[in-house]
Amino acid sequence: MDQSTQANAEQAFAHLAAGNQRRRVSFGFAERRAALRALSETITAREAEIIEALSADFAKPEAEIRLTEILPVQSEISHTLRHLKRWMRVRRVFPTRAMLGTKARIIPEPKGTALIIAPWNYPVGLSLGPLVSALAAGCAVVLKPSELAPASAAVIADIVGEALPEDLVRVVQGGVEVSTQLLEQPFDHIFFTGSPRVGKIVMAAAAKHLASVTLELGGKSPVIVGPGADLKKAAKMIAWGKFANAGQTCIAPDHVFVAKQIEAPFLAELKAAIAKMYGKTEEAQHASRDLARIINPDHFARLTEMIAEAEAEGARPLTGGASKPESRYIAPTVMMGTDPSMKLEQEEIFGPVLPVIPFTDPDEVLARIEAGPKPLALYIFERDRSLIDRLRRASTSGAVGINIALAHYLHPNLPFGGIGNSGLGAAHGHYGFLAFSHERAVLENRFAPLGMLMPPYRGARIAKLAQRFLR
């Protein structure tokens, strides 16, 4: 471990943790609101730099940057500013029979010093979004952006440094060694977005200090296209959900189960949707300004090897399959004929490759989904309400999208999070505020007759009466 790396991590934590007691008193509603407004104004002022950075990191289209990076954060800030006073309000709790004569209330307080470790795929949105929730709750934050998106990490550091005082938020940049050293510090809460594999490492590190965690992970989010689906709308929504950000989205449709009787027309609609979005030919798709690139050569190699392995074992691309290593380009690819032994069906793809798997019995699809790790999202495309309800009730996932994909992430009144292998805890809106808050119980004795229930007991008669009348 580089001594300067260790010193930076320890210094960042110690500097912020030292002010926790003072912050509980001085960082109230007005101060939190001012911090959020300053962050919003700085993001707006630096939009051009954000766009330039994300374009440099993986050629992300400007429209996607605005819609999937800047808009979600600004929307989160606006929503928080509208509701923060109510979220911070002390809540009175009415007494039960046994607590007559007491006064009870719940006070939301900041957990203390929080660590946010952000991923590379949506580097701005998934760094600053959790930061909004932490500031709303009154926490100080060490923010660690991903080193795999270095231009984005640099602009995040500039934005935070301009908008917020360094005794409130510090950005620490670096690689795995920096994250490792940060996880050695006794943070009060850790918010991690990334893979299930690393999520387990984060949870183990948090356990050493009994820190609470929010884990936003991933997994294989399945799609079910039923026999009654609106095929044109389903194909368009699935194509957008899968190929936005070149498939590098934790809630992207990972694979599609399509009812056998509508397989051919669905595939025709899917091909048409891809052609309309990104171009009819491979040359047009490669030249498209609307398709991002793979983040780095390692991820590019992993994806192209998965495609090659599937083709060697008999799968075939319905469309796409082309790639160019010099630009880290992979065409929007739909794969047919895959089977459960292939990596495309075993691992989270996290790229622009979509296996399509025909089915005849919905119960077999449900059994296959439930046999694997719990997904972050499940998407159902169908018009038959009874089938929709049947699929929803018989499955488990972090969220369900019905005739829609990805958009639940943008809904600030919905909890965003996984279950089991796909995550722990929730983010966004009030749920994000609660993730960084401790709901402190306060009970005050006014005229409670508790003395009657204390020793010496003189038998069990009073205790029996209490059991009978106070429950």
Side-chain angles (χ1 to χ4, degrees):
M1 174 69 66
D2 187 297
Q3 288 188 347
S4 64
T5 297
Q6 180 175 349
N8 286 342
E10 292 176 350
Q11 182 185 42
F13 170 79
H15 185 75
L16 297 182
N20 275 338
Q21 186 173 7
R22 171 185 53 78
R23 200 174 294 110
R24 287 192 188 95
V25 177
S26 63
F27 195 55
F29 172 69
E31 291 76 18
R32 298 180 198 184
R33 181 176 58 181
L36 291 170
R37 285 178 171 170
L39 180 60
S40 177
E41 291 167 2
T42 307
I43 291 170
T44 299
R46 290 179 173 262
E47 278 189 1
E49 295 171 51
I50 293 172
I51 293 167
E52 182 180 355
L54 285 159
S55 297
D57 283 331
F58 49 110
K60 194 164 185 174
E62 179 178 340
E64 282 189 8
I65 295 170
R66 293 185 178 278
L67 293 174
T68 65
E69 299 271 10
I70 298 173
L71 174 60
V73 177
Q74 294 288 35
S75 176
E76 189 78 29
I77 293 173
S78 297
H79 181 78
T80 300
L81 288 171
R82 284 195 296 271
H83 298 283
L84 182 57
K85 181 173 283 189
R86 176 170 58 84
W87 297 346
M88 292 179 64
R89 191 174 297 155
V90 176
R91 303 198 312 276
R92 181 181 175 184
V93 179
F94 289 99
T96 63
R97 288 179 183 177
M99 290 293 106
L100 288 173
T102 66
K103 178 182 178 182
R105 57 195 186 273
I106 299 171
I107 304 174
E109 297 182 348
K111 285 185 175 177
T113 306
L115 171 64
I116 296 173
I117 301 179
W120 54 263
N121 58 323
Y122 291 88
V124 174
L126 295 179
S127 293
L128 301 184
L131 177 60
V132 172
S133 296
L135 292 173
C139 291
V141 176
V142 174
L143 172 58
K144 165 62 176 65
S146 174
E147 73 280 7
L148 298 185
S152 299
V155 79
I156 289 165
D158 289 344
I159 288 170
V160 170
E162 178 179 333
L164 302 167
E166 68 172 10
D167 63 348
L168 181 60
V169 182
R170 284 199 172 190
V171 176
V172 177
Q173 298 188 62
V176 174
E177 72 283 356
V178 173
S179 297
T180 301
Q181 188 58 39
L182 285 169
L183 288 171
E184 291 294 323
Q185 311 309 311
F187 284 96
D188 300 294
H189 186 75
I190 300 174
F191 191 110
F192 170 78
T193 306
S195 69
R197 179 185 64 82
V198 181
K200 293 174 184 178
I201 297 171
V202 171
M203 196 168 185
K208 294 178 182 178
H209 305 290
L210 296 180
S212 57
V213 295
T214 303
L215 303 177
E216 299 291 356
L217 308 178
K220 296 181 74 63
S221 294
V223 183
I224 302 173
V225 181
D230 183 320
L231 298 185
K232 184 179 288 293
K233 290 181 180 179
K236 184 176 182 181
M237 186 65 69
I238 293 167
W240 170 71
K242 179 60 181 181
F243 300 114
N245 204 37
Q248 299 167 117
T249 304
C250 60
I251 52 172
D254 185 87
H255 51 291
V256 176
F257 296 101
V258 58
K260 184 68 177 177
Q261 60 264 47
I262 52 98
E263 178 187 5
F266 169 73
L267 292 174
E269 292 290 355
L270 185 59
K271 287 182 66 176
I274 293 170
K276 186 173 182 180
M277 290 179 184
Y278 302 110
K280 295 181 180 180
T281 65
E282 192 277 318
E283 291 77 13
Q285 291 174 2
H286 182 251
S288 173
R289 296 183 178 181
D290 296 321
L291 186 66
R293 297 300 186 253
I294 307 305
I295 185 66
N296 63 27
D298 289 342
H299 284 269
F300 176 88
R302 180 184 65 85
L303 289 165
T304 52
E305 287 168 8
M306 290 172 80
I307 296 171
E309 177 208 62
E311 289 185 304
E313 296 180 12
R316 67 191 188 284
L318 174 76
T319 184
S323 62
K324 295 184 183 297
E326 65 277 7
S327 59
R328 306 192 308 278
Y329 161 82
I330 297 178
T333 300
V334 176
M335 293 296 293
M336 306 299 301
T338 60
D339 67 58
S341 68
M342 298 176 183
K343 288 183 180 179
L344 280 177
E345 291 200 22
Q346 292 179 350
E347 301 177 6
E348 182 179 11
I349 296 171
F350 221 68
V353 186
L354 182 67
V356 175
I357 307 160
F359 73 89
T360 54
D361 184 355
D363 288 335
E364 292 180 1
V365 174
L366 287 168
R368 185 166 168 180
I369 293 172
E370 290 300 294
K374 295 177 174 62
L376 186 54
L378 167 68
Y379 301 113
I380 302 168
F381 290 86
E382 178 57 73
R383 285 177 288 199
D384 182 343
R385 177 51 58 179
S386 63
L387 179 55
I388 292 171
D389 291 342
R390 174 186 167 194
L391 294 170
R392 178 186 55 79
R393 287 195 301 267
S395 61
T396 306
S397 61
V400 180
I402 299 171
N403 296 317
I404 198 168
L406 301 192
H408 63 282
Y409 176 83
L410 301 173
H411 199 314
N413 285 321
L414 284 175
F416 180 83
I419 180 172
N421 193 70
S422 59
L424 176 66
H428 295 180
H430 191 215
Y431 302 95
F433 173 84
L434 291 175
F436 289 93
S437 297
H438 168 58
E439 292 190 288
R440 193 178 190 184
V442 179
L443 183 66
E444 180 180 345
N445 184 6
R446 301 175 71 187
F447 49 86
L450 295 175
M452 297 173 61
L453 305 178
M454 297 177 183
Y457 294 118
R458 299 184 179 88
R461 187 173 63 87
I462 293 178
K464 288 179 179 179
L465 289 171
Q467 276 186 285
R468 181 177 178 182
F469 293 107
L470 298 183
R471 62 185 181 184

